[in-house]
Amino acid sequence: MIQFKSEEEIEIIKESALILGKAHGEVAKNVKEGVKTSYLDKIAEEYIRDNKAIPSFKGYNGFPASLCISVNEVVVHGFPSQYQLKDGDIISIDCGVFHQGFHSDSAYTYPVGEVSPKTIALLKATKESLYLGIEKAVFGNRVGDIGNAIQKFVEAKGYTVVRELVGHGVGKQLHESPEVPNWGKRGSGAKLKGGMVIAIEPMVNLGTRNVVQERDGWTIRTADRKPSAHYEHTVAILEDRTEILTTHRFIEENYKF
């Protein structure tokens, strides 16, 4: 069942999202060669807790960290570790914040050092597809309109869309209804109504769309081990507008490519 939010509840989610955006910004300052991904996780958790909020992911169904850190061919749900970032890597950082009873959720994929032009093009296309999906996330449209916009754009560029993982509603629970696939037919799926809050998160691969789950039960990687990119925003559907509640501004003030 879809949980509709009041304007007051959406404002609380926006407060949560601001803490999240600033936590991403602190992490962005430290995304560089030689840095251990566990260190990035420490930075995020400390910032979130210092601002009287809770990392949404830590302990969620047993997940051990505050950040999902997914490097290169890892699509999502990678663990922070002793791995040190290398020149040519890409790193997807996904984070959630729980504040005053509500979650927010966003993700960003970074290039590290000199990354191949093919991979940079993948990142840029995936990021652009996020905003094309958001353009369709308007009152009166349907969930399928969002996925269709993302799918058409990235597949026209020769990329593939992961099917096993989707966006979702966000609110008192980290994952709520409806599911928000990154593919689909226009006019299909749940109707978008005022008070819906959803996370839109294209996950796009350079090669095959097929993925494999590692033995840890969490890490999802591409079957052909080619790179994957992931960008995400939490957005609110209102009758007169759609509002992006999360922000990448603090990332992009500190990290440009």
Side-chain angles (χ1 to χ4, degrees):
M1 182 182 296
I2 295 171
Q3 303 295 319
F4 295 94
K5 282 76 180 178
S6 67
E7 289 191 14
E8 292 79 10
E9 289 173 329
I10 290 170
E11 285 301 312
I12 294 171
I13 297 172
K14 194 187 299 184
E15 292 172 12
S16 171
L18 181 59
I19 297 169
L20 172 57
K22 290 183 175 180
H24 269 297
E26 293 302 307
V27 171
K29 295 174 186 177
N30 294 276
V31 174
K32 60 190 74 171
E33 294 174 56
V35 171
K36 292 179 180 179
T37 59
S38 58
Y39 179 65
L40 301 177
D41 185 68
K42 180 174 181 286
I43 289 168
E45 181 169 0
E46 287 180 354
Y47 184 88
I48 292 165
R49 294 193 187 280
D50 285 349
N51 283 273
K52 299 180 173 57
I54 297 169
S56 295
F57 297 174
K58 192 160 190 178
Y60 180 78
N61 290 337
F63 191 78
S66 298
L67 297 179
C68 292
I69 295 186
S70 305
V71 178
N72 296 330
E73 74 273 14
V74 177
V75 180
V76 286
H77 303 163
F79 291 174
S81 69
Q82 296 303 299
Y83 179 82
Q84 292 180 295
L85 295 175
K86 302 194 301 287
D87 181 59
D89 282 343
I90 60 170
I91 174 174
S92 171
I93 297 178
D94 191 358
C95 187
V97 164
F98 184 66
H99 173 68
Q100 293 187 9
F102 288 89
H103 294 273
S104 57
D105 192 1
S106 68
Y108 197 91
T109 303
Y110 304 74
V112 180
E114 292 295 323
V115 173
S116 74
K118 272 188 175 182
T119 302
I120 290 291
L122 170 70
L123 267 56
K124 289 182 174 179
T126 306
K127 185 178 176 186
E128 188 172 349
S129 77
L130 168 62
Y131 291 97
L132 292 172
I134 291 170
E135 284 181 9
K136 298 298 183 182
V138 296
F139 182 86
N141 274 2
R142 292 187 177 271
V143 165
D145 298 321
I146 299 170
N148 179 262
I150 292 168
Q151 181 182 13
K152 280 179 64 178
F153 178 75
V154 299
E155 288 185 351
K157 292 182 175 292
Y159 307 126
T160 60
V161 176
V162 174
R163 303 297 179 96
E164 291 81 359
L165 302 147
V166 296
H168 50 89
V170 183
K172 290 183 178 178
Q173 304 298 319
L174 180 58
H175 295 101
E176 297 182 351
S177 295
E179 291 190 343
V180 184
N182 298 302
W183 73 95
K185 295 181 180 179
R186 290 193 307 177
S188 66
K191 193 168 187 179
L192 300 176
K193 299 179 180 180
M196 290 175 67
V197 176
I198 57 175
I200 300 173
E201 50 178 323
M203 290 158 270
V204 179
N205 297 346
L206 187 62
T208 179
R209 71 175 177 85
N210 297 322
V211 296
V212 174
Q213 186 175 58
E214 301 287 18
R215 290 182 180 178
D216 60 24
W218 283 97
T219 305
I220 304 290
R221 65 166 174 84
T222 57
D224 59 6
R225 297 191 179 272
K226 290 184 178 179
S228 182
H230 177 212
Y231 292 85
E232 177 182 20
H233 273 313
T234 298
V235 305
I237 315 296
L238 302 167
E239 289 191 16
D240 61 341
R241 69 190 187 281
T242 295
E243 189 169 354
I244 302 174
L245 303 180
T246 47
T247 179
H248 291 156
R249 176 166 64 91
F250 301 103
I251 293 172
E252 291 169 354
E253 286 175 355
N254 294 293
Y255 204 100
K256 293 185 183 296
F257 69 93

